[in-house]
Amino acid sequence: GDSVTQMEGPVTLSEEAFLTINCTYTATGYPSLFWYVQYPGEGLQLLLKATKADDKGSNKGFEATYRKETTSFHLEKGSVQVSDSAVYFCALYGSSNTGKLIFGQGTTLQVKP
Amino acid sequence: GAVVSQHPSWVICKSGTSVKIECRSLDFQATTMFWYRQFPKQSLMLMATSNEGSKATYEQGVEKDKFLINHASLTLSTLTVTSAHPEDSSFYICSADPTGRGELFFGEGSRLTVL
């Protein structure tokens, strides 16, 4: 079945460092891919998305490119801030999922001043 | 964007009692809502899909008699944890997908602590 695998955390960075959080997926068909973010004590919110191969999703300085050849959707940011500290979830939505979003296990990012 | 609201945001109850959590879509109608449980080490587990006017669809391993879901209107779904025990303590999150394309909008979450 469809699945999403994220790099294990926590990821600890200094402010202004470059961020990469790896995400790979397994799916039949042509899924849509998402990154969701959960700030401390809050629910999840959509960060960015890509619906087809080679699409790049971007928001708040974060980017991720849908790579079908490597089945990946890595999240990147050029310069992180303390306020980016959160848990990041990669997710997949595909035609075989009957309307369900499949989440990765989440990666905690801690940014220190 | 679409707004989904949960209530209560936190609740503490005694073992053996039942607790109801409400999930409302504030600015759209949701024929389907999703209930997730989040464990201490972050993983998000889909518990069930709530369907307006019909029975919920539970994921494998989720006890339907333990976690009662009712979706009586297009803007409200409820999760009732019956005869709660300490192992039911968790963060419960609801969501809806108004676009039908996997763009979920999440409630704020409800933290349940069973003593």
Side-chain angles (χ1 to χ4, degrees), chain A residues 53-75:
Chain A
D54 299 325
D55 269 2
K56 177 186 285 188
S58 62
N59 186 25
K60 299 181 180 180
F62 291 89
E63 293 183 340
T65 302
Y66 188 160
R67 302 286 189 197
K68 188 167 177 60
E69 64 276 14
T70 54
T71 62
S72 65
F73 193 55
H74 304 321
L75 182 68

Side-chain angles (χ1 to χ4, degrees), chain B residues 63-83:
Chain B
E63 300 175 61
K64 58 183 67 175
D65 294 331
K66 174 77 168 171
F67 299 100
L68 299 179
I69 292 173
N70 182 274
H71 195 150
S73 78
L74 288 171
T75 59
L76 174 63
S77 176
T78 60
L79 167 67
T80 301
V81 183
T82 63
S83 186

Side-chain angles (χ1 to χ4, degrees), chain A residues 1-66:
Chain A
D2 296 354
S3 66
V4 176
T5 302
Q6 289 180 237
M7 62 186 289
E8 289 192 21
V11 174
T12 303
L13 297 173
S14 298
E15 206 164 22
E16 299 184 2
F18 184 87
L19 168 71
T20 299
I21 299 178
N22 290 338
C23 171
T24 57
Y25 68 91
T26 301
T28 55
Y30 302 93
S32 294
L33 300 173
F34 303 84
W35 278 99
Y36 284 83
V37 59
Q38 184 179 30
Y39 298 103
E42 299 182 12
L44 279 73
Q45 54 186 279
L46 179 64
L47 180 61
L48 54 83
K49 67 175 182 179
T51 58
K52 60 182 186 297
D54 299 325
D55 269 2
K56 177 186 285 188
S58 62
N59 186 25
K60 299 181 180 180
F62 291 89
E63 293 183 340
T65 302
Y66 188 160

Side-chain angles (χ1 to χ4, degrees), chain A residues 36 38 49 93 99-100 106 108, chain B residues 38 42 59 100 102-104:
Chain A
Y36 284 83
Q38 184 179 30
K49 67 175 182 179
Y93 181 82
K100 302 174 191 175
T108 298
Chain B
Q38 188 171 30
Q42 312 159 24
E59 295 300 303
E103 297 179 30
L104 294 188

Side-chain angles (χ1 to χ4, degrees), chain B residues 37 39 66 85-90 92 114:
Chain B
R37 179 175 179 177
F39 294 96
K66 174 77 168 171
H85 291 284
E87 58 265 30
D88 299 323
S89 298
S90 196
Y92 294 89
V114 184

Side-chain angles (χ1 to χ4, degrees), chain B residues 86-108:
Chain B
E87 58 265 30
D88 299 323
S89 298
S90 196
F91 194 54
Y92 294 89
I93 310 175
C94 72
S95 68
D97 179 6
T99 67
R101 296 193 296 266
E103 297 179 30
L104 294 188
F105 290 87
F106 287 83
E108 308 91 329

